[in-house]
Amino acid sequence: MKRIAITERPDWREKATEYGFNFHTMYDEPYWCEDAYYQFSLAQIEEIENTTAELHQMCLQVVEKVVDSEELLTKFQIPKHCWDFVRNSWITSQPSLYSRLDLAYDGKSPAKLLENNADTPTSLYESAFFQWIWLEDQMNAGLLPANADQFNSMQEQLIERFAQLRDEHGFGLLHMACCQDTEEDRGTIQYLQDCALEAGVPTEFLFIEDIGLGEKGQFTDLKDQVISNLFKLYPWELMFREIFATKLEDAGVRWLEPAWKSIISNKALLPMLWKMFPNHPNLLPAYFADDNHPTMDSYVIKPLFSREGANIRIIENGKEIASVDGPYGKEGMIVQQFHTLPKFGDSYTLIGSWLINDQPCGIGLREDRELITQDLSRFYPHIILD
């Protein structure tokens, strides 16, 4: 695994605008970066792929255990009025679209799972589409070897999955929603709408804030159409605490992601995995903060619902060496052994490993000069070269 400098495409900003990548720069800071790329061997990619597949299956075993236990559902801070809703989504095998595992991997030692973004994973567009365009352009320009490749079948897999949802699960019109004032989320939804359209699935966009409740308890859009299938880029833990949460089960909606994803997108997943698969080479020791647990010299404190690094604290030898502010923490915390991300130059690098329809299919890399990866951490492309 190497970080290699390369000349940027002279027209990449124009291409980004042409393709609707409007969040390549955020708050005057670069988000998409292509002054360098990461190079992996095929063996390293196969290791990431196999690790991702195994970890995902382990996560599904956690869901199986949690839905059967009121004690664990409580521990995961899932409100009691949503237990049956979550449980039934699992029992009836409600289909999933995608997930992203965050891994610490240096190309030498086994990858370690840091967390699972199983509900509202971001950086999809950059990983699936824009880094592939970068690869083709740089190969055509002669700046990358002719035999370079990329671990990235994400777009084909997304289109294929949407076609399956249509043919095997009976998905008709698919409403797709995100919050207002989130340019990155809106860009992700537009990309997914393109993939769904390619698969022959009609879509309609609306903001989460514009979803209404009809007379018969069904969710409706601004045209008073009943919403039967809804992809939402909005976290389950927030939905469970909305006024309409008691209507979720009876509204007749098929959700992407399904409600059982609320279990494995929760940081409570991490101590559950460690308990069920102790000393697994791809896991880090993790415990519920309020439970009796072994003392660790260096550890990370994570709220159950934290996103984009918010409210995470890193303790090393009794001293806090990094922290990020945010709105989370009242729901409870877990502690996970601290495992430093690999450092290239002055930056730490995190691998996001993607699954579509439960199958590993690509990676995206984020870099930050800080120890905690956040929403504005830089995205870099990658290649495979043997």
Side-chain angles (χ1 to χ4, degrees):
M1 182 176 171
K2 302 172 185 171
R3 187 185 191 277
I4 298 173
I6 190 172
T7 304
E8 293 185 353
R9 294 170 293 169
D11 60 346
W12 77 259
R13 288 172 181 81
E14 288 77 13
K15 282 202 168 178
T17 301
E18 177 190 343
Y19 289 124
F21 187 8
N22 300 316
F23 53 95
H24 61 77
T25 303
M26 292 192 275
Y27 307 103
D28 297 323
E29 291 290 329
Y31 167 64
W32 169 268
C33 293
E34 55 176 75
D35 56 336
Y37 63 88
Y38 282 85
Q39 180 178 308
F40 296 84
S41 69
L42 183 58
Q44 288 169 333
I45 290 296
E46 286 172 345
E47 183 185 353
I48 292 171
E49 186 175 10
N50 293 336
T51 296
T52 300
E54 183 178 356
L55 286 170
H56 180 65
Q57 290 305 314
M58 289 157 56
C59 291
L60 297 183
Q61 290 182 56
V62 172
V63 180
E64 184 77 41
K65 195 172 184 71
V66 173
V67 295
D68 258 353
S69 165
E70 292 184 358
E71 181 188 353
L72 289 173
L73 287 164
T74 303
K75 203 110 175 162
F76 275 65
Q77 292 294 313
I78 294 171
K80 193 170 184 177
H81 63 265
C82 296
W83 287 357
D84 284 344
F85 176 59
V86 172
R87 187 180 290 123
N88 290 337
S89 74
W90 177 253
I91 292 169
T92 58
S93 302
Q94 291 299 302
S96 162
L97 179 65
Y98 67 161
S99 291
R100 191 191 80 230
L101 302 183
D102 283 350
L103 304 175
Y105 180 65
D106 60 3
K108 302 166 194 164
S109 309
K112 299 291 187 183
L113 176 68
L114 299 182
E115 60 187 63
N116 188 350
N117 298 273
D119 183 19
T120 57
T122 50
S123 74
L124 178 74
Y125 172 89
E126 308 89 285
S127 300
F129 181 74
F130 207 67
Q131 70 166 340
W132 184 261
I133 298 293
W134 167 87
L135 176 74
E136 291 184 328
D137 286 348
Q138 294 292 49
M139 286 173 70
N140 290 337
L143 293 177
L144 288 173
N147 61 334
D149 200 357
Q150 194 173 86
F151 180 33
N152 187 1
S153 61
M154 292 174 63
Q155 183 159 300
E156 303 96 287
Q157 300 291 338
L158 281 167
I159 294 166
E160 187 177 314
R161 182 55 170 161
F162 278 120
Q164 278 183 337
L165 292 172
R166 181 198 67 208
D167 296 340
E168 297 172 21
H169 299 277
F171 273 64
L173 175 65
L174 178 61
H175 282 81
M176 306 188 89
C178 67
C179 291
Q180 293 174 358
D181 305 320
T182 52
E183 191 167 28
E184 183 181 358
D185 288 359
R186 184 70 186 97
T188 299
I189 294 269
Q190 283 174 324
Y191 174 64
L192 283 168
Q193 283 184 277
D194 289 343
C195 292
L197 189 64
E198 188 79 17
V201 176
T203 66
E204 191 138 332
F205 175 79
L206 78 165
F207 289 113
I208 287 281
E209 293 87 345
D210 291 333
I211 294 175
L213 195 62
E215 290 178 9
K216 297 178 181 177
Q218 297 165 308
F219 293 123
T220 56
D221 64 16
L222 289 171
K223 302 173 190 170
D224 289 329
Q225 290 184 104
V226 171
I227 296 172
S228 300
N229 307 292
L230 179 62
F231 173 91
K232 46 95 198 155
L233 208 58
Y234 187 63
W236 275 118
E237 67 265 18
L238 296 183
M239 289 183 71
F240 289 163
R241 288 158 176 81
E242 300 275 8
I243 295 170
F244 61 73
T246 54
K247 308 289 186 186
L248 287 168
E249 185 155 23
D250 299 324
V253 177
R254 280 184 302 188
W255 302 89
L256 288 176
E257 292 298 301
W260 57 263
K261 283 294 194 79
S262 62
I263 293 172
I264 54 173
S265 62
N266 186 317
K267 304 297 186 300
L269 167 75
L270 301 168
M272 282 298 298
L273 283 170
W274 186 250
K275 186 176 182 179
M276 291 171 65
F277 306 97
N279 302 311
H280 189 282
N282 301 121
L283 295 177
L284 294 166
Y287 309 93
F288 290 99
D290 291 339
D291 290 355
N292 288 327
H293 58 78
T295 303
M296 293 181 283
D297 291 333
S298 301
Y299 56 94
V300 184
I301 303 169
K302 297 181 176 182
L304 301 191
F305 300 153
S306 171
R307 289 168 183 272
E308 305 285 11
N311 297 100
I312 286 177
R313 299 166 56 213
I314 300 177
I315 311 297
E316 192 168 45
N317 299 319
K319 292 184 180 178
E320 183 175 285
I321 60 168
S323 66
V324 176
D325 291 334
Y328 304 101
K330 290 179 183 175
E331 70 276 12
M333 306 274 194
I334 64 109
V335 291
Q336 182 184 45
Q337 187 180 75
F338 177 45
H339 183 86
T340 311
L341 291 169
K343 195 172 186 183
F344 294 83
D346 63 354
S347 293
Y348 299 93
T349 302
L350 176 77
I351 295 176
S353 186
W354 288 90
L355 301 107
I356 310 292
N357 189 20
D358 298 327
Q359 300 303 313
C361 58
I363 58 172
L365 289 96
R366 306 282 299 279
E367 250 190 28
D368 205 298
R369 291 183 182 88
E370 304 298 327
L371 283 165
I372 301 171
T373 307
Q374 299 176 60
D375 57 344
L376 298 182
S377 299
R378 303 176 300 281
F379 188 103
Y380 275 87
H382 77 278
I383 69 167
I384 307 170
L385 192 67
D386 265 340

